Amino acid sequence: MKDDLFDLPVKIGGVEFKNPFMVASGPTVKWISQLEQAEREGWAAASIKQTFNPRPYLNFDPRYRWLKKEKLHTFTAEYRLSMEEGLRLMEEGRKRCKELILIANYSYVKGDLEGWQEAAIRFEAAGAHMLEINFCCPNMSFNVDLSSPETKEARPSSGASMGQDERSVRLVIEKTREVTRLPLIAKITPEGGRIAEVSYVAFEAGVSAVSSVANRLGIPPIDIWNYKKPIYNLQGQNTMGCLSGPWIKPLALRDVFEIRNRVGPAPVIIGTGGVASMEDAVEMMMCGADVIGVCTETMLSGFSFLGKWMGSLKDYMKKMGFQTYRDFRDLLLQEIKPATELTLWAGYAQVDPEKCSSCGLCVEIGHCNAIVMTDEAASIDSKLCHGCSTCIDICPQKAILMTEQR
Ligand SMILES: Cc1cc2nc3c(=O)[nH]c(=O)nc-3n(C[C@H](O)[C@H](O)[C@H](O)COP(=O)(O)O)c2cc1C
Ligand code: SF4
Ligand code: SF4
């Protein structure tokens, strides 16, 4: 391993990450051998699997599906670590991994604040470099609230239901701050649409970074002919799924963009959600992220792709004249304009008759009356064309091009 390939430092709360890539909390950070492998493959940090004290009511063997075509990962059933397992993993990880920054990711599901404090104290004693307080898991009380609203009052709020409430988030962070000097990260939920405001409050309360985003809760595809059978193997019921992977990226970019706009340039943001390539990571940074969290891609492909990402990131930076990641962080903040400021040029689409196979797909477009089929090929009336581009994307022969009129 070439050391300098992985060198692109970022600091969070005084802790130096050798590069901006961390393994986000999930199934690939549950065992010591996974942490060791992540370190060998050059990852800067790992947020270990979520720990609970006590374990929540939802704690099962994992049932996952990766829907390749939709680029969507979904799960409901998942195994969390007990406090003792989490502490052992942290202690062992600190002994065996010399460079990897280890972050404790934990939640507490009872109503009091002492449990949050106890987790912080014990993880600090176990050697954690940082603490990531999980205000985001959609698969705890939030899942049950949505699937079974009538029992809502009986449950203490946790994970994504708690993370939508600034008051609770502030209180937990302030109480945690009282008992530890470790840098804190708040992992914030996008559910409820309050992610920017809650992040702002989290920084006020004393975190060194916010981490955005976790999974979104949704209903995974069902077989309408056999709707009682879920898509998961070895599972009896349909359930709401925690959705992750590339499909989530546009929403995750928006979340990071909103947070950066709200909190300003100084605070550190960890951007997570659907990152599956170096280009995805750069987009996330251009929207405001300092560090990139990756979970689903490590589930599907392990850890070794990071070397390739780092190589192409370095090449990209060189070609673009960027010295550090800060040279391209936030670049999209200026570029993403409000809808009221759009500039649109006139133009029309044209068919190249040489390429057209007369398949007729473009003629079927429901919102367009500009395209007709002639004996030889499809043809577009430039006066009726509004320049929307749908035909260009539909044509299997790439036979349609846009002509700009400035
Ligand atoms: C199976 C699975 C388990 C996860 N477990 C945790 C967890 O224990 N703690 C946590 O903060 N996030 C957890 N996450 C969320 C991820 O860390 C990440 O925020 C989310 O999946 C979006 O990123 P991705 O598209 O790269 O997976 C989990 C995600 C998946 C898919
Ligand atoms: S660009 Fe839009 S409006 Fe113009 S021909 Fe194609 S589908 Fe019709
Ligand atoms: S979709 Fe393309 S190939 Fe098919 S008729 Fe239209 S222009 Fe021709």
Side-chain angles (χ1 to χ4, degrees):
M1 185 169 85
K2 280 187 277 154
D3 272 352
D4 59 350
L5 178 64
F6 293 93
D7 185 31
L8 193 63
V10 182
K11 262 199 179 148
I12 304 185
V15 177
E16 181 160 300
F17 285 37
K18 69 177 175 181
N19 61 55
F21 291 100
M22 67 179 258
V23 186
S25 182
T28 55
V29 278
K30 269 204 269 203
W31 314 304
I32 190 70
S33 59
Q34 294 170 315
L35 301 181
E36 288 177 314
Q37 203 187 338
E39 176 168 87
R40 272 198 304 279
E41 300 293 352
W43 292 77
S47 176
I48 70 168
K49 178 68 198 165
Q50 189 176 21
T51 294
F52 279 98
N53 185 29
R55 274 224 190 89
Y57 32 85
L58 292 163
N59 204 51
F60 306 109
D61 273 344
R63 298 287 182 269
Y64 306 144
R65 286 313 298 267
W66 164 237
L67 308 176
K68 220 182 278 170
K69 199 166 95 232
E70 292 83 356
K71 297 187 176 226
L72 164 69
H73 189 275
T74 179
F75 76 99
T76 310
E78 171 70 334
Y79 181 84
R80 281 72 178 244
L81 302 182
S82 68
M83 181 55 95
E84 300 312 319
E85 287 170 324
L87 291 168
R88 267 203 305 279
L89 180 60
M90 182 57 76
E91 280 167 5
E92 201 55 23
R94 283 306 313 274
K95 272 191 219 139
R96 304 246 211 122
C97 301
K98 297 296 170 221
E99 284 186 23
L100 194 69
I101 303 296
L102 287 179
I103 303 167
N105 178 292
Y106 60 87
S107 282
Y108 181 63
V109 291
K110 293 189 177 174
D112 59 272
L113 290 161
E114 287 73 25
W116 294 98
Q117 291 183 313
E118 185 196 330
I121 292 167
R122 296 185 74 187
F123 270 117
E124 182 168 1
H129 292 103
M130 311 177 93
L131 305 175
E132 183 172 54
I133 308 177
N134 186 318
F135 295 114
C136 63
C137 181
N139 200 18
M140 294 156 51
S141 65
F142 189 57
N143 179 308
V144 191
D145 292 349
L146 289 186
S147 316
S148 174
E150 65 283 359
T151 60
K152 188 170 174 177
E153 298 312 316
R155 270 183 309 280
S157 163
S158 60
S161 355
M162 185 186 202
Q164 298 174 32
D165 170 25
E166 287 106 292
R167 254 170 19 108
S168 306
V169 168
R170 179 191 290 281
L171 209 56
V172 170
I173 294 169
E174 284 176 351
K175 282 290 165 190
T176 305
R177 254 299 46 109
E178 286 174 12
V179 296
T180 179
R181 301 182 65 170
L182 290 182
L184 302 181
I185 302 167
K187 192 161 178 183
I188 308 284
T189 181
E191 302 288 1
R194 310 213 22 86
I195 195 163
E197 210 46 47
V198 175
S199 298
Y200 185 82
V201 166
F203 283 116
E204 272 191 342
V207 296
S208 300
V210 296
S211 183
S212 154
V213 298
N215 315 74
R216 274 185 150 85
L217 204 58
I219 298 183
I222 50 156
D223 174 359
I224 58 166
W225 299 102
N226 196 3
Y227 62 87
K228 285 182 186 292
K229 186 182 178 311
I231 61 166
Y232 304 99
N233 295 306
L234 308 178
Q235 179 174 315
Q237 294 77 27
N238 281 302
T239 46
M240 292 231 186
C242 293
L243 311 178
S244 63
W247 81 276
I248 209 178
K249 192 187 69 174
L251 300 172
L253 293 177
R254 173 192 148 180
D255 289 323
V256 168
F257 175 86
E258 271 193 58
I259 297 170
R260 179 58 74 202
N261 267 331
R262 179 67 183 92
V263 302
V268 174
I269 300 174
I270 301 172
T272 310
V275 174
S277 67
M278 173 288 273
E279 289 79 3
D280 294 339
V282 172
E283 280 181 68
M284 194 66 98
M285 288 172 149
M286 284 181 167
C287 285
D290 297 272
V291 168
I292 302 299
V294 185
C295 174
T296 301
E297 193 57 26
T298 63
M299 292 175 70
L300 303 174
S301 329
F303 303 102
S304 60
F305 57 82
L306 187 67
K308 207 169 126 218
W309 286 18
M310 285 301 303
S312 46
L313 179 58
K314 293 278 176 87
D315 282 350
Y316 166 77
M317 288 176 64
K318 202 165 158 197
K319 284 186 188 136
M320 295 293 284
F322 298 141
Q323 305 294 319
T324 79
Y325 83 96
R326 281 305 297 262
D327 294 341
F328 56 97
R329 201 201 78 179
D330 299 350
L331 283 184
L332 282 176
L333 296 197
Q334 297 309 314
E335 298 303 318
I336 308 276
K337 304 289 184 202
T340 45
E341 288 180 23
L342 292 184
T343 311
L344 302 180
W345 294 291
Y348 54 87
Q350 273 182 309
V351 177
D352 177 348
E354 297 293 315
K355 290 191 182 162
C356 174
S357 67
S358 300
C359 72
L361 287 177
C362 57
V363 181
E364 300 299 328
I365 294 173
H367 60 270
C368 171
N369 59 357
I371 312 177
V372 291
M373 190 58 78
T374 68
D375 288 345
E376 290 99 50
S379 166
I380 296 176
D381 181 340
S382 60
K383 288 187 217 57
L384 293 177
C385 172
H386 295 288
C388 74
S389 291
T390 305
C391 55
I392 292 175
D393 296 329
I394 275 187
C395 176
Q397 304 298 329
K398 298 193 185 340
I400 311 181
L401 289 176
M402 195 63 82
T403 302
E404 217 175 86
Q405 291 176 310
R406 292 223 201 182

